[in-house]
Structures are given as structure tokens and as C-alpha cells.
Amino acid sequence: MKKILIVEESLNTNNRLLDQLKSAGYLVKNTSSCDQLKLFIEQIEFDLVLMNLSSSAQVKESIHLIHSIEQIPVIVISDSWDKQSKIRILKDGADDFIADPFDIELSLARIEVALRRTQPIIFEKKETMIQHKDLIIYPENRSLYIQDKEIHLTNSEFDILSFLMSNPKKVFTKKEIFCYVWKVHSFVGTEGTINVHISHLRAKLLKANSEMTYIDTVWGIGFKMNEE
């Protein structure tokens, strides 16, 4: 049974969502305390976190707290979703966002997609290790190493890099990347979503090795692994 933690402003803010999640077969816990959030993440192996907090600073702090302990997907619920808010929350480490007031069926679908992305990636060649330059990916435990140092990625970032490294000579379109990572059949997102994730991924790779270029932009098409 998949376990979901709801972090909210005050307990029982989203009773309807909580009830629907339980009806859908999820084990659900909720908290409004940062101390209890830390305790929950350390002691219980949650599969996903739903966050509904009014303060953007508190959202960022809570996401960083979660990811400092465990790399699990975080979906943020908010009634304020302009373009800059979406970009900021993705840069802060969220995997997705839901507009409030929300549609229950659509919210459940987004949660299902986020959980599906955490499943191990199956590669046709069934390698236990994928390497490009000094990048080494272990698909089974979803880990990335550069020069023997582990680099922590969000689930979306890991899936994007794994997809690009699965065929390093191929130029992948933004549509192909979006449909693969978010497990959909149509490009329902925006190019900005892909650009933000690629930018954040590049920053982490650059921090690990500033002398190496890993991902190239092919203007007007998409992205590929750098081969120089």
C-alpha cells in the first residue's frame, strides 16, 4: 500500500482530499508541524508528500527538509499559480503542483503519475550501470555519481538524465522528454517546465564538475548528451 503524507497549514484543511486518497487505497498521514514532519520522514517510508502551505518560504524550507532526509516526490497545492510561482516551486525541488481549488479526479491522476515515476526505469539492454563521460547512473537504486561522488537529484531530474543517457547520440525533443518523464501520451505541459528542470539539472552537474559540459541544447529541437 502506497503511503502519502499531507503537510498542511492546519490539520484537516483538506478532509475531502484525505478521504478520497483513503478511498483510493492509500495510507494517509497528515501534519501541520515541522518537527512532526521531520519525525514522520525519518521513521516512515512515505512514497509521496502533498504540501499545502501559504508561505512560499515555508514551502521551500519543508521541501529542503524532506529531501535532506529522503528523495521522495513532493506535490505542492496552492491557490496562486502564476508563471513565476510555478518556476520558483520547481526550482525549490517540487515535482509537480496542483491548483486550489482542485479537481479530485485530476489531483488523483497527478498523484498516480508522480508515484509511477518513482518506479525503477527498465532499460531494453538491461544494464546495471549506465555511463557517459564521468557520469555513472545505477538505475536499480536511482543513484548518480560523478567522479565517485553521489549527486542527489529529484525524481524528475533523474528521469530526464536517465532518458538522455539511454541514447546519448540522439537529440530528444521537449515533447519526447515530457511524455517519457511524466508518463503521458500528449504534451500537456509547457516548454518552460522542461527548461526549468534541465536548468536545475545542469546546475547540479556543473557544481559537481565545472570543467565538463554534459547536456547540449539543440536549438529549435530539444536536448542531447554532450559528446565532446
Side-chain angles (χ1 to χ4, degrees):
M1 180 181 292
K2 297 291 185 181
K3 296 182 286 295
I4 295 176
L5 176 63
I6 299 178
V7 183
E8 49 194 347
E9 202 77 44
S10 58
L11 287 179
N12 304 319
T13 300
N14 289 312
N15 280 330
R16 183 164 167 251
L17 178 59
L18 189 146
D19 292 340
Q20 288 290 337
L21 288 171
K22 288 181 178 178
S23 297
Y26 297 111
L27 178 63
V28 185
K29 299 271 186 189
N30 62 339
T31 181
S32 60
S33 162
C34 284
D35 290 337
Q36 193 174 42
L37 167 62
K38 185 175 185 295
L39 191 64
F40 271 144
I41 297 298
E42 287 177 338
Q43 295 187 354
I44 302 175
E45 191 173 330
F46 285 101
D47 299 287
L48 181 138
V49 175
L50 286 172
M51 193 172 296
N52 188 3
L53 301 171
S54 59
S55 166
S56 59
Q58 194 174 5
V59 169
K60 180 178 181 179
E61 181 183 347
S62 298
I63 291 175
H64 288 183
L65 171 63
I66 291 166
H67 286 162
S68 71
I69 301 170
E70 189 70 44
Q71 292 297 311
I72 56 177
V74 176
I75 297 178
V76 177
I77 301 172
S78 175
D79 57 3
S80 175
W81 281 126
D82 54 56
K83 181 179 178 181
Q84 291 305 314
S85 295
K86 292 178 181 179
I87 292 174
R88 184 181 65 250
I89 207 66
L90 289 172
K91 284 186 174 182
D92 287 342
D95 292 84
D96 202 355
F97 35 76
I98 295 174
D100 191 15
F102 49 82
D103 179 275
I104 286 293
E105 290 186 7
L106 181 58
S107 299
L108 289 175
R110 283 183 176 273
I111 290 167
E112 185 179 339
V113 168
L115 289 169
R116 195 186 307 148
R117 293 208 311 269
T118 64
Q119 300 302 312
I121 299 173
I122 300 175
F123 295 86
E124 290 184 4
K125 295 182 180 180
K126 297 182 180 179
E127 299 100 330
T128 56
M129 180 188 79
I130 299 174
Q131 183 168 4
H132 180 77
K133 297 186 176 180
D134 59 353
L135 291 175
I136 298 178
I137 274 183
Y138 294 94
E140 291 184 3
N141 60 11
R142 296 178 65 82
S143 59
L144 165 69
Y145 289 84
I146 296 179
Q147 297 178 349
D148 296 325
K149 179 181 179 181
E150 186 171 8
I151 310 301
H152 296 287
L153 304 178
T154 66
N155 285 296
S156 299
E157 292 163 358
F158 184 88
D159 288 346
I160 289 172
L161 183 60
S162 297
F163 191 43
L164 295 176
M165 287 179 63
S166 69
N167 193 344
K169 296 182 182 295
K170 175 180 169 60
V171 178
F172 291 95
T173 66
K174 293 179 181 180
K175 178 180 179 180
E176 287 175 326
I177 296 171
F178 187 92
C179 292
Y180 175 82
V181 173
W182 278 270
K183 300 295 186 294
V184 294
H185 299 293
S186 60
F187 194 28
V188 296
T190 64
E191 290 193 356
T193 300
I194 300 299
N195 292 339
V196 167
H197 280 85
I198 290 287
S199 176
H200 205 39
L201 175 58
R202 277 174 167 160
K204 291 183 179 181
L205 300 180
L206 180 64
K207 184 177 180 180
N209 185 351
S210 60
E211 298 181 356
M212 191 75 71
T213 298
Y214 296 102
I215 301 174
D216 286 337
T217 298
V218 181
W219 296 107
I221 302 177
F223 302 96
K224 70 181 292 294
M225 298 305 296
N226 177 278
E227 295 185 271
E228 295 180 359

